[in-house]
Amino acid sequence: MDVIRSRAFEFIETVQQLSDTASVLDAMGRMLGQYGPDQFCCAYVAPLSTEAPREAVLAHRLPPGFLDMYSAEQFVWDDPALRYCKTTLRPFRWLREAPFDPTREPRAVELVRRARDFGLRDGVMVPIASPANRIGQMFFGGREIDLPERDLPALHLMALYAFDRALTLRGQPEARTLALSLREREVLTLAAIGRSTEEIADALTISARTVKAHVKSCCKKLGATTRTQAVMIAMRDRIISP
């Protein structure tokens, strides 16, 4: 098993025991520090109309002064990465992969410049469809992130758990769960150890279409929007044990 994947499962085992959001970020730092991230932010993509921008942040470890500047300048409304979170469910490179037009979006250009002034030159952002029915994100940043694309699924899983724990510590509602069938648990267990749809189908002697139907059912029962999130919830609630 790859080191990053084993670290992800180690993180999953410990994060539910943590009693405050600072400890959650400490755990992320210990797991990922060697890959470059030393700045973290767990937040909703946008504040509610009744919230100040800072209230959308669940937990963070960003450079001193950065969040004050970001909030004062109201960059939340011009941040191309937050906008991109609303269109994808996959982890992506912060700003590098979030499209924007430098000519027509000078505020986005200014955000990139100001972020670099604070040492935020690289990062990964993980969109999260939270059980609170709001789009969230987990950001991992620093001067340079050395994390291969093949390791992003493990990072995704860790981000989902970190966000979920931060929500719980903030007293936010969790997703309602329903019992999964034996076959549904088998499908999610195989998904949790990295098997593809086709590999799950071969292992269980069913069609890929049936695998997808089971995953869809799991997502509906667990209040998840993706297979990865369904796996995370099932592991958190001890429904499966890969």
Side-chain angles (χ1 to χ4, degrees):
M1 181 181 290
D2 294 339
V3 173
I4 183 64
R5 184 175 297 178
S6 65
R7 284 176 175 264
F9 283 111
E10 181 182 343
F11 179 78
I12 290 167
E13 287 297 315
T14 61
V15 70
Q16 293 303 316
Q17 309 304 318
L18 303 178
S19 59
D20 56 77
T21 55
S23 297
V24 174
L25 297 182
D26 286 342
M28 295 295 297
R30 288 192 297 271
M31 294 293 174
L32 297 171
Q34 72 183 83
Y35 301 99
D38 57 5
Q39 309 293 342
F40 307 96
C41 184
C42 176
Y44 290 116
V45 166
L48 298 173
S49 60
T50 56
E51 292 178 333
R54 289 288 290 267
E55 293 181 81
V57 178
L58 301 176
H60 78 90
R61 187 159 295 156
L62 295 169
F66 176 80
L67 199 56
D68 291 331
M69 177 278 297
Y70 189 95
S71 299
E73 296 291 337
Q74 297 189 344
F75 278 128
V76 67
W77 308 116
D78 303 284
D79 191 331
L82 296 186
R83 181 176 63 207
Y84 194 52
C85 273
K86 300 175 183 179
T87 67
T88 183
L89 294 173
R90 296 181 179 278
F92 61 91
R93 289 285 178 170
W94 181 63
L95 295 181
R96 187 190 305 178
E97 295 178 4
F100 69 95
D101 185 335
T103 302
R104 301 180 61 181
E105 299 180 81
R107 290 269 295 169
V109 175
E110 177 67 8
L111 170 59
V112 173
R113 185 186 69 79
R114 299 289 288 274
R116 287 175 175 169
D117 289 343
F118 281 90
L120 293 172
R121 296 176 175 273
D122 195 7
V124 175
M125 187 169 281
V126 182
I128 297 171
S130 79
N133 295 318
R134 295 173 65 181
I135 299 174
Q137 56 88 9
M138 189 80 196
F139 169 73
F140 309 84
R143 293 189 176 278
E144 184 177 2
I145 308 300
D146 183 19
L147 191 68
E149 290 294 318
R150 67 177 183 274
D151 292 333
L152 288 183
L155 182 67
H156 195 175
L157 193 62
M158 294 173 69
L160 288 169
Y161 267 86
F163 192 95
D164 180 81
R165 187 59 181 158
L167 275 183
T168 300
L169 292 170
R170 285 280 296 263
Q172 299 291 337
E174 296 183 356
R176 179 172 61 95
T177 61
L178 299 174
L180 301 184
S181 69
L182 175 59
R183 180 47 55 91
E184 288 169 342
R185 294 198 301 273
E186 290 175 333
V187 167
L188 284 191
T189 298
L190 291 171
I193 61 175
R195 299 290 180 85
S196 67
T197 296
E198 290 72 20
E199 289 171 334
I200 295 172
D202 289 342
L204 299 179
T205 321
I206 57 179
S207 69
R209 181 175 181 179
T210 300
V211 171
K212 292 177 181 179
H214 284 311
V215 170
K216 183 176 180 180
S217 176
C218 291
C219 288
K220 182 177 181 180
K221 290 181 178 181
L222 298 174
T225 56
T226 66
R227 183 168 81 172
T228 299
Q229 190 177 31
V231 167
M232 181 274 292
I233 293 171
M235 291 177 62
R236 179 199 67 190
D237 293 345
R238 308 295 182 184
I239 297 171
I240 61 173
S241 299

mmCIF file of all heavy atoms in Angstrom, residues 163-207:
data_model
loop_
_atom_site.group_PDB
_atom_site.id
_atom_site.type_symbol
_atom_site.label_atom_id
_atom_site.label_comp_id
_atom_site.label_asym_id
_atom_site.label_seq_id
_atom_site.Cartn_x
_atom_site.Cartn_y
_atom_site.Cartn_z
ATOM 1 N N PHE A 163 -13.116 17.695 7.320
ATOM 2 C CA PHE A 163 -14.253 18.605 7.223
ATOM 3 C C PHE A 163 -15.415 18.099 8.079
ATOM 4 O O PHE A 163 -16.047 18.867 8.810
ATOM 5 C CB PHE A 163 -14.699 18.733 5.767
ATOM 6 C CG PHE A 163 -15.672 19.862 5.526
ATOM 7 C CD1 PHE A 163 -15.215 21.098 5.107
ATOM 8 C CD2 PHE A 163 -17.037 19.692 5.715
ATOM 9 C CE1 PHE A 163 -16.104 22.144 4.885
ATOM 10 C CE2 PHE A 163 -17.929 20.724 5.504
ATOM 11 C CZ PHE A 163 -17.460 21.960 5.083
ATOM 12 N N ASP A 164 -15.670 16.801 8.007
ATOM 13 C CA ASP A 164 -16.751 16.203 8.772
ATOM 14 C C ASP A 164 -16.528 16.402 10.279
ATOM 15 O O ASP A 164 -17.451 16.736 11.017
ATOM 16 C CB ASP A 164 -16.842 14.715 8.453
ATOM 17 C CG ASP A 164 -17.944 14.013 9.221
ATOM 18 O OD1 ASP A 164 -19.102 14.104 8.792
ATOM 19 O OD2 ASP A 164 -17.646 13.385 10.254
ATOM 20 N N ARG A 165 -15.277 16.213 10.724
ATOM 21 C CA ARG A 165 -14.993 16.390 12.149
ATOM 22 C C ARG A 165 -15.126 17.844 12.563
ATOM 23 O O ARG A 165 -15.640 18.153 13.649
ATOM 24 C CB ARG A 165 -13.580 15.870 12.473
ATOM 25 C CG ARG A 165 -13.272 15.855 13.971
ATOM 26 C CD ARG A 165 -14.255 14.988 14.713
ATOM 27 N NE ARG A 165 -14.010 14.979 16.145
ATOM 28 C CZ ARG A 165 -14.943 14.653 17.042
ATOM 29 N NH1 ARG A 165 -16.166 14.307 16.650
ATOM 30 N NH2 ARG A 165 -14.656 14.664 18.325
ATOM 31 N N ALA A 166 -14.679 18.763 11.704
ATOM 32 C CA ALA A 166 -14.817 20.187 12.012
ATOM 33 C C ALA A 166 -16.282 20.582 12.132
ATOM 34 O O ALA A 166 -16.667 21.360 13.018
ATOM 35 C CB ALA A 166 -14.120 21.027 10.941
ATOM 36 N N LEU A 167 -17.113 20.028 11.245
ATOM 37 C CA LEU A 167 -18.557 20.299 11.328
ATOM 38 C C LEU A 167 -19.130 19.823 12.653
ATOM 39 O O LEU A 167 -19.896 20.526 13.314
ATOM 40 C CB LEU A 167 -19.298 19.594 10.191
ATOM 41 C CG LEU A 167 -19.407 20.281 8.838
ATOM 42 C CD1 LEU A 167 -20.246 19.430 7.902
ATOM 43 C CD2 LEU A 167 -20.020 21.660 8.976
ATOM 44 N N THR A 168 -18.757 18.615 13.041
ATOM 45 C CA THR A 168 -19.259 18.046 14.281
ATOM 46 C C THR A 168 -18.829 18.889 15.482
ATOM 47 O O THR A 168 -19.630 19.176 16.381
ATOM 48 C CB THR A 168 -18.759 16.607 14.462
ATOM 49 O OG1 THR A 168 -19.213 15.816 13.362
ATOM 50 C CG2 THR A 168 -19.268 15.997 15.759
ATOM 51 N N LEU A 169 -17.572 19.326 15.489
ATOM 52 C CA LEU A 169 -17.071 20.130 16.593
ATOM 53 C C LEU A 169 -17.726 21.508 16.643
ATOM 54 O O LEU A 169 -17.809 22.118 17.711
ATOM 55 C CB LEU A 169 -15.551 20.267 16.491
ATOM 56 C CG LEU A 169 -14.774 18.969 16.720
ATOM 57 C CD1 LEU A 169 -13.308 19.150 16.349
ATOM 58 C CD2 LEU A 169 -14.910 18.510 18.167
ATOM 59 N N ARG A 170 -18.196 21.965 15.485
ATOM 60 C CA ARG A 170 -18.923 23.239 15.437
ATOM 61 C C ARG A 170 -20.404 23.074 15.733
ATOM 62 O O ARG A 170 -21.160 24.039 15.750
ATOM 63 C CB ARG A 170 -18.747 23.879 14.053
ATOM 64 C CG ARG A 170 -17.394 24.513 13.815
ATOM 65 C CD ARG A 170 -17.288 25.891 14.447
ATOM 66 N NE ARG A 170 -18.225 26.797 13.822
ATOM 67 C CZ ARG A 170 -17.904 27.644 12.837
ATOM 68 N NH1 ARG A 170 -16.657 27.689 12.397
ATOM 69 N NH2 ARG A 170 -18.799 28.446 12.308
ATOM 70 N N GLY A 171 -20.844 21.821 15.945
ATOM 71 C CA GLY A 171 -22.242 21.572 16.265
ATOM 72 C C GLY A 171 -23.162 21.572 15.069
ATOM 73 O O GLY A 171 -24.373 21.760 15.195
ATOM 74 N N GLN A 172 -22.602 21.329 13.870
ATOM 75 C CA GLN A 172 -23.409 21.296 12.657
ATOM 76 C C GLN A 172 -24.064 19.925 12.517
ATOM 77 O O GLN A 172 -23.562 18.921 13.017
ATOM 78 C CB GLN A 172 -22.535 21.578 11.430
ATOM 79 C CG GLN A 172 -21.880 22.941 11.461
ATOM 80 C CD GLN A 172 -22.856 24.067 11.300
ATOM 81 O OE1 GLN A 172 -23.933 23.886 10.762
ATOM 82 N NE2 GLN A 172 -22.493 25.240 11.773
ATOM 83 N N PRO A 173 -25.204 19.844 11.819
ATOM 84 C CA PRO A 173 -25.906 18.562 11.662
ATOM 85 C C PRO A 173 -25.129 17.589 10.805
ATOM 86 O O PRO A 173 -24.443 17.984 9.869
ATOM 87 C CB PRO A 173 -27.223 18.963 10.970
ATOM 88 C CG PRO A 173 -26.889 20.227 10.242
ATOM 89 C CD PRO A 173 -25.902 20.946 11.128
ATOM 90 N N GLU A 174 -25.214 16.328 11.147
ATOM 91 C CA GLU A 174 -24.605 15.286 10.345
ATOM 92 C C GLU A 174 -25.656 14.647 9.437
ATOM 93 O O GLU A 174 -26.855 14.799 9.637
ATOM 94 C CB GLU A 174 -24.005 14.201 11.251
ATOM 95 C CG GLU A 174 -22.855 14.715 12.113
ATOM 96 C CD GLU A 174 -22.233 13.616 12.932
ATOM 97 O OE1 GLU A 174 -22.743 12.482 12.885
ATOM 98 O OE2 GLU A 174 -21.239 13.893 13.620
ATOM 99 N N ALA A 175 -25.185 13.929 8.448
ATOM 100 C CA ALA A 175 -26.100 13.288 7.507
ATOM 101 C C ALA A 175 -26.879 12.166 8.191
ATOM 102 O O ALA A 175 -26.366 11.461 9.042
ATOM 103 C CB ALA A 175 -25.311 12.715 6.324
ATOM 104 N N ARG A 176 -28.122 12.000 7.803
ATOM 105 C CA ARG A 176 -28.930 10.898 8.314
ATOM 106 C C ARG A 176 -28.514 9.629 7.588
ATOM 107 O O ARG A 176 -28.356 9.605 6.374
ATOM 108 C CB ARG A 176 -30.416 11.196 8.038
ATOM 109 C CG ARG A 176 -31.359 10.098 8.506
ATOM 110 C CD ARG A 176 -32.789 10.566 8.363
ATOM 111 N NE ARG A 176 -33.113 10.857 6.982
ATOM 112 C CZ ARG A 176 -33.684 9.998 6.153
ATOM 113 N NH1 ARG A 176 -33.976 8.781 6.569
ATOM 114 N NH2 ARG A 176 -33.969 10.334 4.917
ATOM 115 N N THR A 177 -28.291 8.558 8.338
ATOM 116 C CA THR A 177 -27.838 7.318 7.717
ATOM 117 C C THR A 177 -28.904 6.234 7.814
ATOM 118 O O THR A 177 -29.662 6.170 8.767
ATOM 119 C CB THR A 177 -26.552 6.813 8.385
ATOM 120 O OG1 THR A 177 -26.814 6.545 9.764
ATOM 121 C CG2 THR A 177 -25.448 7.853 8.301
ATOM 122 N N LEU A 178 -28.956 5.394 6.806
ATOM 123 C CA LEU A 178 -29.862 4.257 6.776
ATOM 124 C C LEU A 178 -29.023 2.998 6.609
ATOM 125 O O LEU A 178 -27.886 3.049 6.143
ATOM 126 C CB LEU A 178 -30.851 4.399 5.605
ATOM 127 C CG LEU A 178 -31.766 5.631 5.645
ATOM 128 C CD1 LEU A 178 -32.572 5.687 4.354
ATOM 129 C CD2 LEU A 178 -32.696 5.582 6.842
ATOM 130 N N ALA A 179 -29.586 1.865 6.984
ATOM 131 C CA ALA A 179 -28.843 0.601 6.922
ATOM 132 C C ALA A 179 -28.529 0.242 5.470
ATOM 133 O O ALA A 179 -29.352 0.400 4.569
ATOM 134 C CB ALA A 179 -29.658 -0.505 7.572
ATOM 135 N N LEU A 180 -27.312 -0.248 5.252
ATOM 136 C CA LEU A 180 -26.913 -0.724 3.937
ATOM 137 C C LEU A 180 -27.069 -2.234 3.878
ATOM 138 O O LEU A 180 -26.890 -2.929 4.882
ATOM 139 C CB LEU A 180 -25.452 -0.359 3.657
ATOM 140 C CG LEU A 180 -25.063 1.121 3.686
ATOM 141 C CD1 LEU A 180 -23.597 1.264 3.284
ATOM 142 C CD2 LEU A 180 -25.948 1.960 2.789
ATOM 143 N N SER A 181 -27.369 -2.730 2.692
ATOM 144 C CA SER A 181 -27.461 -4.173 2.512
ATOM 145 C C SER A 181 -26.063 -4.775 2.541
ATOM 146 O O SER A 181 -25.050 -4.062 2.437
ATOM 147 C CB SER A 181 -28.134 -4.492 1.179
ATOM 148 O OG SER A 181 -27.282 -4.131 0.094
ATOM 149 N N LEU A 182 -25.997 -6.096 2.658
ATOM 150 C CA LEU A 182 -24.712 -6.777 2.654
ATOM 151 C C LEU A 182 -23.954 -6.486 1.366
ATOM 152 O O LEU A 182 -22.750 -6.202 1.389
ATOM 153 C CB LEU A 182 -24.920 -8.284 2.805
ATOM 154 C CG LEU A 182 -23.656 -9.152 2.695
ATOM 155 C CD1 LEU A 182 -22.642 -8.767 3.756
ATOM 156 C CD2 LEU A 182 -24.024 -10.632 2.795
ATOM 157 N N ARG A 183 -24.622 -6.564 0.229
ATOM 158 C CA ARG A 183 -23.954 -6.325 -1.048
ATOM 159 C C ARG A 183 -23.475 -4.872 -1.143
ATOM 160 O O ARG A 183 -22.379 -4.607 -1.651
ATOM 161 C CB ARG A 183 -24.897 -6.679 -2.198
ATOM 162 C CG ARG A 183 -24.327 -6.486 -3.619
ATOM 163 C CD ARG A 183 -22.927 -7.064 -3.801
ATOM 164 N NE ARG A 183 -22.771 -8.454 -3.468
ATOM 165 C CZ ARG A 183 -22.925 -9.462 -4.323
ATOM 166 N NH1 ARG A 183 -23.275 -9.221 -5.564
ATOM 167 N NH2 ARG A 183 -22.728 -10.709 -3.922
ATOM 168 N N GLU A 184 -24.254 -3.946 -0.645
ATOM 169 C CA GLU A 184 -23.831 -2.541 -0.667
ATOM 170 C C GLU A 184 -22.583 -2.343 0.194
ATOM 171 O O GLU A 184 -21.672 -1.608 -0.190
ATOM 172 C CB GLU A 184 -24.968 -1.644 -0.188
ATOM 173 C CG GLU A 184 -26.098 -1.520 -1.191
ATOM 174 C CD GLU A 184 -27.337 -0.849 -0.633
ATOM 175 O OE1 GLU A 184 -27.478 -0.764 0.610
ATOM 176 O OE2 GLU A 184 -28.193 -0.412 -1.436
ATOM 177 N N ARG A 185 -22.528 -3.018 1.327
ATOM 178 C CA ARG A 185 -21.345 -2.919 2.181
ATOM 179 C C ARG A 185 -20.133 -3.531 1.487
ATOM 180 O O ARG A 185 -19.011 -3.036 1.604
ATOM 181 C CB ARG A 185 -21.598 -3.595 3.532
ATOM 182 C CG ARG A 185 -22.661 -2.881 4.369
ATOM 183 C CD ARG A 185 -22.587 -3.285 5.833
ATOM 184 N NE ARG A 185 -22.770 -4.717 6.053
ATOM 185 C CZ ARG A 185 -23.943 -5.313 6.210
ATOM 186 N NH1 ARG A 185 -25.070 -4.586 6.147
ATOM 187 N NH2 ARG A 185 -24.032 -6.614 6.438
ATOM 188 N N GLU A 186 -20.342 -4.635 0.769
ATOM 189 C CA GLU A 186 -19.244 -5.256 0.024
ATOM 190 C C GLU A 186 -18.701 -4.295 -1.037
ATOM 191 O O GLU A 186 -17.489 -4.163 -1.199
ATOM 192 C CB GLU A 186 -19.726 -6.540 -0.637
ATOM 193 C CG GLU A 186 -20.008 -7.682 0.344
ATOM 194 C CD GLU A 186 -20.601 -8.895 -0.349
ATOM 195 O OE1 GLU A 186 -21.252 -8.734 -1.401
ATOM 196 O OE2 GLU A 186 -20.409 -10.007 0.166
ATOM 197 N N VAL A 187 -19.598 -3.640 -1.745
ATOM 198 C CA VAL A 187 -19.194 -2.706 -2.798
ATOM 199 C C VAL A 187 -18.386 -1.551 -2.208
ATOM 200 O O VAL A 187 -17.306 -1.193 -2.717
ATOM 201 C CB VAL A 187 -20.429 -2.179 -3.559
ATOM 202 C CG1 VAL A 187 -20.051 -0.984 -4.439
ATOM 203 C CG2 VAL A 187 -21.051 -3.277 -4.410
ATOM 204 N N LEU A 188 -18.870 -0.975 -1.118
ATOM 205 C CA LEU A 188 -18.158 0.154 -0.520
ATOM 206 C C LEU A 188 -16.824 -0.271 0.091
ATOM 207 O O LEU A 188 -15.852 0.489 0.064
ATOM 208 C CB LEU A 188 -19.024 0.827 0.544
ATOM 209 C CG LEU A 188 -20.154 1.726 0.055
ATOM 210 C CD1 LEU A 188 -20.731 2.530 1.213
ATOM 211 C CD2 LEU A 188 -19.687 2.682 -1.042
ATOM 212 N N THR A 189 -16.770 -1.453 0.631
ATOM 213 C CA THR A 189 -15.509 -1.939 1.195
ATOM 214 C C THR A 189 -14.447 -2.066 0.116
ATOM 215 O O THR A 189 -13.291 -1.666 0.300
ATOM 216 C CB THR A 189 -15.714 -3.296 1.895
ATOM 217 O OG1 THR A 189 -16.640 -3.134 2.975
ATOM 218 C CG2 THR A 189 -14.393 -3.834 2.445
ATOM 219 N N LEU A 190 -14.827 -2.627 -1.030
ATOM 220 C CA LEU A 190 -13.881 -2.751 -2.136
ATOM 221 C C LEU A 190 -13.500 -1.371 -2.683
ATOM 222 O O LEU A 190 -12.345 -1.134 -3.049
ATOM 223 C CB LEU A 190 -14.475 -3.624 -3.235
ATOM 224 C CG LEU A 190 -14.616 -5.113 -2.874
ATOM 225 C CD1 LEU A 190 -15.420 -5.854 -3.934
ATOM 226 C CD2 LEU A 190 -13.236 -5.753 -2.710
ATOM 227 N N ALA A 191 -14.458 -0.467 -2.716
ATOM 228 C CA ALA A 191 -14.162 0.901 -3.162
ATOM 229 C C ALA A 191 -13.179 1.569 -2.205
ATOM 230 O O ALA A 191 -12.288 2.317 -2.623
ATOM 231 C CB ALA A 191 -15.448 1.716 -3.260
ATOM 232 N N ALA A 192 -13.331 1.285 -0.916
ATOM 233 C CA ALA A 192 -12.478 1.904 0.098
ATOM 234 C C ALA A 192 -11.016 1.496 -0.041
ATOM 235 O O ALA A 192 -10.114 2.268 0.316
ATOM 236 C CB ALA A 192 -12.980 1.549 1.493
ATOM 237 N N ILE A 193 -10.762 0.312 -0.576
ATOM 238 C CA ILE A 193 -9.368 -0.140 -0.729
ATOM 239 C C ILE A 193 -8.842 0.147 -2.136
ATOM 240 O O ILE A 193 -7.806 -0.376 -2.535
ATOM 241 C CB ILE A 193 -9.213 -1.637 -0.388
ATOM 242 C CG1 ILE A 193 -10.056 -2.515 -1.323
ATOM 243 C CG2 ILE A 193 -9.579 -1.891 1.061
ATOM 244 C CD1 ILE A 193 -9.838 -4.022 -1.093
ATOM 245 N N GLY A 194 -9.600 0.975 -2.870
ATOM 246 C CA GLY A 194 -9.098 1.472 -4.138
ATOM 247 C C GLY A 194 -9.485 0.708 -5.384
ATOM 248 O O GLY A 194 -8.940 0.976 -6.458
ATOM 249 N N ARG A 195 -10.414 -0.229 -5.269
ATOM 250 C CA ARG A 195 -10.827 -0.988 -6.458
ATOM 251 C C ARG A 195 -11.686 -0.125 -7.385
ATOM 252 O O ARG A 195 -12.526 0.645 -6.925
ATOM 253 C CB ARG A 195 -11.617 -2.222 -6.048
ATOM 254 C CG ARG A 195 -10.846 -3.194 -5.175
ATOM 255 C CD ARG A 195 -9.731 -3.908 -5.938
ATOM 256 N NE ARG A 195 -9.005 -4.840 -5.093
ATOM 257 C CZ ARG A 195 -9.396 -6.087 -4.863
ATOM 258 N NH1 ARG A 195 -10.507 -6.550 -5.404
ATOM 259 N NH2 ARG A 195 -8.672 -6.868 -4.083
ATOM 260 N N SER A 196 -11.500 -0.277 -8.679
ATOM 261 C CA SER A 196 -12.313 0.428 -9.666
ATOM 262 C C SER A 196 -13.668 -0.246 -9.808
ATOM 263 O O SER A 196 -13.894 -1.345 -9.282
ATOM 264 C CB SER A 196 -11.608 0.420 -11.022
ATOM 265 O OG SER A 196 -11.557 -0.901 -11.544
ATOM 266 N N THR A 197 -14.577 0.392 -10.528
ATOM 267 C CA THR A 197 -15.900 -0.192 -10.762
ATOM 268 C C THR A 197 -15.775 -1.558 -11.417
ATOM 269 O O THR A 197 -16.444 -2.525 -11.018
ATOM 270 C CB THR A 197 -16.742 0.742 -11.645
ATOM 271 O OG1 THR A 197 -16.962 1.973 -10.950
ATOM 272 C CG2 THR A 197 -18.088 0.111 -11.983
ATOM 273 N N GLU A 198 -14.914 -1.667 -12.415
ATOM 274 C CA GLU A 198 -14.750 -2.933 -13.127
ATOM 275 C C GLU A 198 -14.154 -4.005 -12.219
ATOM 276 O O GLU A 198 -14.558 -5.176 -12.264
ATOM 277 C CB GLU A 198 -13.864 -2.728 -14.357
ATOM 278 C CG GLU A 198 -14.511 -1.917 -15.483
ATOM 279 C CD GLU A 198 -14.649 -0.431 -15.159
ATOM 280 O OE1 GLU A 198 -13.922 0.042 -14.257
ATOM 281 O OE2 GLU A 198 -15.498 0.232 -15.773
ATOM 282 N N GLU A 199 -13.196 -3.611 -11.378
ATOM 283 C CA GLU A 199 -12.582 -4.577 -10.464
ATOM 284 C C GLU A 199 -13.569 -5.056 -9.400
ATOM 285 O O GLU A 199 -13.578 -6.227 -9.020
ATOM 286 C CB GLU A 199 -11.364 -3.943 -9.797
ATOM 287 C CG GLU A 199 -10.188 -3.746 -10.750
ATOM 288 C CD GLU A 199 -9.078 -2.924 -10.144
ATOM 289 O OE1 GLU A 199 -9.355 -2.104 -9.233
ATOM 290 O OE2 GLU A 199 -7.916 -3.092 -10.576
ATOM 291 N N ILE A 200 -14.427 -4.149 -8.952
ATOM 292 C CA ILE A 200 -15.463 -4.545 -7.989
ATOM 293 C C ILE A 200 -16.433 -5.518 -8.636
ATOM 294 O O ILE A 200 -16.826 -6.526 -8.044
ATOM 295 C CB ILE A 200 -16.212 -3.303 -7.468
ATOM 296 C CG1 ILE A 200 -15.273 -2.405 -6.654
ATOM 297 C CG2 ILE A 200 -17.409 -3.711 -6.593
ATOM 298 C CD1 ILE A 200 -15.879 -1.072 -6.271
ATOM 299 N N ALA A 201 -16.807 -5.227 -9.883
ATOM 300 C CA ALA A 201 -17.730 -6.103 -10.609
ATOM 301 C C ALA A 201 -17.141 -7.506 -10.760
ATOM 302 O O ALA A 201 -17.829 -8.515 -10.535
ATOM 303 C CB ALA A 201 -18.040 -5.501 -11.982
ATOM 304 N N ASP A 202 -15.848 -7.587 -11.113
ATOM 305 C CA ASP A 202 -15.192 -8.899 -11.269
ATOM 306 C C ASP A 202 -15.134 -9.640 -9.936
ATOM 307 O O ASP A 202 -15.391 -10.857 -9.875
ATOM 308 C CB ASP A 202 -13.775 -8.711 -11.815
ATOM 309 C CG ASP A 202 -13.771 -8.274 -13.273
ATOM 310 O OD1 ASP A 202 -14.812 -8.436 -13.945
ATOM 311 O OD2 ASP A 202 -12.736 -7.747 -13.723
ATOM 312 N N ALA A 203 -14.813 -8.923 -8.867
ATOM 313 C CA ALA A 203 -14.666 -9.560 -7.558
ATOM 314 C C ALA A 203 -15.988 -10.120 -7.041
ATOM 315 O O ALA A 203 -16.017 -11.165 -6.379
ATOM 316 C CB ALA A 203 -14.094 -8.567 -6.555
ATOM 317 N N LEU A 204 -17.079 -9.435 -7.362
ATOM 318 C CA LEU A 204 -18.393 -9.836 -6.847
ATOM 319 C C LEU A 204 -19.223 -10.596 -7.877
ATOM 320 O O LEU A 204 -20.366 -10.991 -7.595
ATOM 321 C CB LEU A 204 -19.164 -8.602 -6.361
ATOM 322 C CG LEU A 204 -18.508 -7.802 -5.223
ATOM 323 C CD1 LEU A 204 -19.364 -6.595 -4.863
ATOM 324 C CD2 LEU A 204 -18.277 -8.672 -3.996
ATOM 325 N N THR A 205 -18.647 -10.771 -9.064
ATOM 326 C CA THR A 205 -19.332 -11.466 -10.167
ATOM 327 C C THR A 205 -20.682 -10.814 -10.483
ATOM 328 O O THR A 205 -21.727 -11.460 -10.565
ATOM 329 C CB THR A 205 -19.537 -12.969 -9.843
ATOM 330 O OG1 THR A 205 -18.389 -13.481 -9.171
ATOM 331 C CG2 THR A 205 -19.755 -13.766 -11.111
ATOM 332 N N ILE A 206 -20.635 -9.512 -10.634
ATOM 333 C CA ILE A 206 -21.811 -8.751 -11.051
ATOM 334 C C ILE A 206 -21.366 -7.797 -12.155
ATOM 335 O O ILE A 206 -20.170 -7.672 -12.433
ATOM 336 C CB ILE A 206 -22.442 -7.964 -9.879
ATOM 337 C CG1 ILE A 206 -21.397 -7.018 -9.250
ATOM 338 C CG2 ILE A 206 -23.005 -8.912 -8.832
ATOM 339 C CD1 ILE A 206 -21.937 -6.182 -8.112
ATOM 340 N N SER A 207 -22.313 -7.129 -12.789
ATOM 341 C CA SER A 207 -21.956 -6.208 -13.865
ATOM 342 C C SER A 207 -21.523 -4.856 -13.297
ATOM 343 O O SER A 207 -21.860 -4.499 -12.162
ATOM 344 C CB SER A 207 -23.155 -6.001 -14.796
ATOM 345 O OG SER A 207 -24.182 -5.276 -14.129
#
